[in-house]
Amino acid sequence: MEIGDMIEINRGQYKHWALYIGNGEVIHVVTPDGPSRVAFCSVSSSSGSLSCKGTITIEMLKDVAAGNTYKIHNYLDDEFKPRPTDVIMGDVDIMRGHTIEYGLLGNNCEHFVTFLRYGKSKSQQADDFMKNLFIGSGLLSGVVAVTVVAAALAIKAFT
């Protein structure tokens, strides 16, 4: 295992992600009450929007895995170039202990780890969930149709 490796931890119905930082330690995003609770979320009284928080922590990989299987999974290496180790570790030093906005589909532990490794946030797990949701509900064809119409209107506006 090398510094900057993305670690995929199998939690059954989902994968938790952490980034290896050496000496058996990883950095990852956790929520105060764990992944199955929503107590870390609050609703704004003025806008009605939902706000969730996650804390960036450093722990031993064996403690984070908690008996679950895990593997190195740098699945975006063919798409993006990993950042240099010193850049990654500089961000680790800055980010540790901070609280960040958290969202299962928009800013989750996988987004965090891919940002540290590549400088770009991406979550295949969230993308797959949304794709399955759209396909399962029959919304995908509608989304494609709306996208095609919007693109056609945009092209017409510029011609």
Side-chain angles (χ1 to χ4, degrees), residues 85-141:
T85 302
D86 61 326
V87 173
I88 292 171
M89 292 307 292
D91 281 349
V92 166
D93 288 338
I94 292 168
M95 293 178 174
R96 72 174 3 159
H98 282 87
T99 299
I100 61 171
E101 293 295 319
Y102 180 88
L104 290 175
L105 299 177
N107 197 29
N108 64 32
C109 57
E110 188 177 356
H111 288 105
F112 174 72
V113 168
T114 58
F115 173 78
L116 282 176
R117 181 167 177 85
Y118 304 107
K120 302 192 183 307
S121 293
K122 187 166 178 127
S123 173
Q124 189 62 52
Q125 188 170 218
D127 292 349
D128 288 347
F129 174 82
M130 291 303 292
K131 187 184 329 174
N132 290 336
L133 179 67
F134 285 137
I135 290 171
S137 66
L139 291 175
L140 187 59
S141 59

Side-chain angles (χ1 to χ4, degrees), residues 42-114:
S42 61
V43 177
S44 167
S45 57
S46 59
S47 68
S49 63
L50 184 66
S51 174
C52 300
K53 305 286 184 195
T55 303
I56 300 168
T57 62
I58 294 175
E59 298 180 73
M60 297 300 293
L61 174 56
K62 65 179 180 55
D63 294 334
V64 176
N68 294 297
T69 59
Y70 61 87
K71 65 181 179 180
I72 297 169
H73 195 180
N74 300 320
Y75 70 94
L76 292 171
D77 280 5
D78 290 339
E79 189 174 341
F80 304 117
K81 180 180 178 183
R83 300 186 315 154
T85 302
D86 61 326
V87 173
I88 292 171
M89 292 307 292
D91 281 349
V92 166
D93 288 338
I94 292 168
M95 293 178 174
R96 72 174 3 159
H98 282 87
T99 299
I100 61 171
E101 293 295 319
Y102 180 88
L104 290 175
L105 299 177
N107 197 29
N108 64 32
C109 57
E110 188 177 356
H111 288 105
F112 174 72
V113 168
T114 58

